[in-house]
Amino acid sequence: MPAELRVTESDDGRTLLLAGELDTHTAPQLDRRLQAVADGTDLVLDLSETTFISSAGLGVILETQRRLAASGGSLQVSSPTPVVARMIELSGLSQSLGIS
């Protein structure tokens, strides 16, 4: 069964809740959604319902973080599940992703 990822936007448009697996198959879906986020936006990715993240998913998040920061915005990762937090830690990205 292929991985699934649901992306839900908060009412104010400043938070995206990711639910499911963020891997090679679903990263392009998230990338398309994040490309639609305007430059200069302050965005939070809520990973409280993300069950897995791969290097492909981390790459999409990092690229978006760089793009937003270059335009005066920001991207923050919030509430990762233990499995996701461990993957972020193992990748050495805990500090650069500003996890809260």
Side-chain angles (χ1 to χ4, degrees):
M1 176 176 239
E4 291 186 20
L5 179 71
R6 283 186 328 277
V7 180
T8 308
E9 186 173 327
S10 64
D11 290 338
D12 66 4
R14 298 180 76 119
T15 301
L16 295 179
L17 172 65
L18 308 184
E21 297 182 10
L22 182 49
D23 62 10
T24 303
H25 300 288
T26 60
Q29 170 192 347
L30 179 62
D31 188 42
R32 285 188 299 274
R33 177 63 187 86
L34 293 176
Q35 288 295 325
V37 173
D39 288 349
T41 298
D42 293 321
L43 182 67
V44 175
L45 291 183
D46 181 341
L47 303 183
S48 63
E49 295 183 23
T50 305
T51 57
F52 177 79
I53 192 166
S54 72
S55 59
L58 289 171
V60 168
I61 292 171
L62 282 173
E63 181 58 36
T64 301
Q65 183 185 49
R66 288 182 191 122
R67 177 178 64 85
L68 292 177
S71 63
S74 66
L75 183 144
Q76 182 178 358
V77 172
S78 170
S79 306
T81 58
V83 169
V84 172
R86 181 73 176 141
M87 290 299 294
I88 293 170
E89 180 182 323
L90 289 172
S91 69
L93 298 173
S94 298
Q95 295 288 21
S96 56
L97 289 178
I99 297 174
S100 64

